[in-house]
Amino acid sequence: MRNLFVRILAEADVPSNMEVPLHSLGITPSDDNPNSQRMDIYCVIDGSDYLLDVTIAHPCRPDDSPIPFHRTVNRRSARGKMAQLAEKDKIDKYGPTAQAAGFRFVPLAAETFGRWGEKTMDFLKMLAKRKHRPTSIPTEEDTAFRESIINHWSQLLSVELMKHNAFQVASRAQRAAAARGPRRASAFPEDFVSRGPYRPHTRPAPGCEVAGWIWIL
């Protein structure tokens, strides 16, 4: 996802760097978490320093999850604001320190179901304004030209998000397969897909196998 945002920045004539350590920018990380020590993307737009951090939130968790946070997430997602909540979490974490150091912080948030945060869309609109309009497109069609750019970028981001979702599901399925046996599928409470309780493989009772089908009586 970060690579695609870097590509979009390049299309808007904005050079950028990825995985920039906060200490190199004169910013003190908020905690000792390794993921908090760097910023996903650093760029300069019209003389202003920008810090961009990508985050992807899932709108729901298994309804019967024993983790209280999952039930809280489900209640929040009913209002369709997971992307906005993810933006707020990032702003609360990085915003004050970034602003104090003279940077503009923009969280690039998305939901796994495809909704993008308002900050992300506003940022894309700003980048679209920087895109040079070909001379073959008349001035009166400038608005439509900018909208077509945003639509193009949105489509690219949607495809990248689907790839991310597919990777997450596949990796968790592999972990679940490795855990088959006496362990339950709920051993991975953070899974995006709820597989339900573990059901051991059992041999069907005599007479329940018919022409290759297993009938559950």
Side-chain angles (χ1 to χ4, degrees), residues 178-198:
R180 285 174 181 166
R183 300 173 64 181
R184 298 172 62 89
S186 59
F188 305 109
E190 294 295 332
D191 278 3
F192 283 170
V193 179
S194 175
R195 292 178 296 277
Y198 171 77

Side-chain angles (χ1 to χ4, degrees), residues 128-175:
K129 293 179 180 179
R130 297 176 50 86
K131 189 79 171 178
H132 176 70
R133 187 183 74 254
T135 55
S136 58
I137 299 178
T139 304
E140 55 269 20
E141 295 182 9
D142 184 78
T143 300
F145 170 69
R146 307 297 168 189
E147 291 178 351
S148 68
I149 294 174
I150 295 174
N151 290 337
H152 172 64
W153 288 342
S154 297
Q155 291 172 0
L156 293 177
L157 289 169
S158 295
V159 172
E160 196 69 17
L161 184 59
M162 286 189 287
K163 292 180 180 178
H164 167 83
N165 292 343
F167 173 79
Q168 294 294 334
V169 172
S171 62
R172 282 159 174 75
Q174 292 174 357
R175 289 167 56 186

Side-chain angles (χ1 to χ4, degrees), residues 20 27 64 117 119 127 155 172 175:
V20 181
I27 300 176
D64 58 349
K119 301 291 185 184
L127 293 179
Q155 291 172 0
R172 282 159 174 75
R175 289 167 56 186

Side-chain angles (χ1 to χ4, degrees), residues 50-133:
Y50 280 80
L51 298 178
L52 315 175
D53 203 61
V54 181
T55 180
I56 300 176
H58 189 54
C60 60
R61 288 290 193 271
D63 291 335
D64 58 349
S65 173
I67 301 178
F69 171 72
H70 288 181
R71 294 191 290 272
T72 301
V73 167
N74 287 344
R75 288 195 296 270
R76 288 177 173 179
S77 65
R79 298 190 293 270
K81 294 185 178 180
M82 280 308 299
Q84 285 76 8
L85 290 170
E87 287 180 340
K88 183 180 183 302
D89 289 342
K90 287 291 185 178
I91 291 174
D92 291 343
K93 183 176 182 179
Y94 295 111
T97 54
Q99 185 176 5
F103 294 88
R104 296 184 180 183
F105 175 72
V106 180
L108 304 175
E111 293 182 358
T112 53
F113 291 163
R115 178 179 178 180
W116 291 91
E118 294 180 1
K119 301 291 185 184
T120 304
M121 297 309 301
D122 290 342
F123 187 71
L124 292 179
K125 291 176 182 177
M126 181 188 70
L127 293 179
K129 293 179 180 179
R130 297 176 50 86
K131 189 79 171 178
H132 176 70
R133 187 183 74 254

Side-chain angles (χ1 to χ4, degrees), residues 22-34:
L22 292 179
H23 283 297
S24 68
L25 301 174
I27 300 176
T28 302
S30 57
D31 53 50
D32 295 331
N33 189 318

Side-chain angles (χ1 to χ4, degrees), residues 29-51:
S30 57
D31 53 50
D32 295 331
N33 189 318
N35 292 328
S36 302
Q37 308 304 307
R38 52 99 184 110
M39 189 59 56
D40 285 340
I41 302 173
Y42 163 73
C43 62
V44 179
I45 303 176
D46 297 331
S48 298
D49 295 317
Y50 280 80
L51 298 178

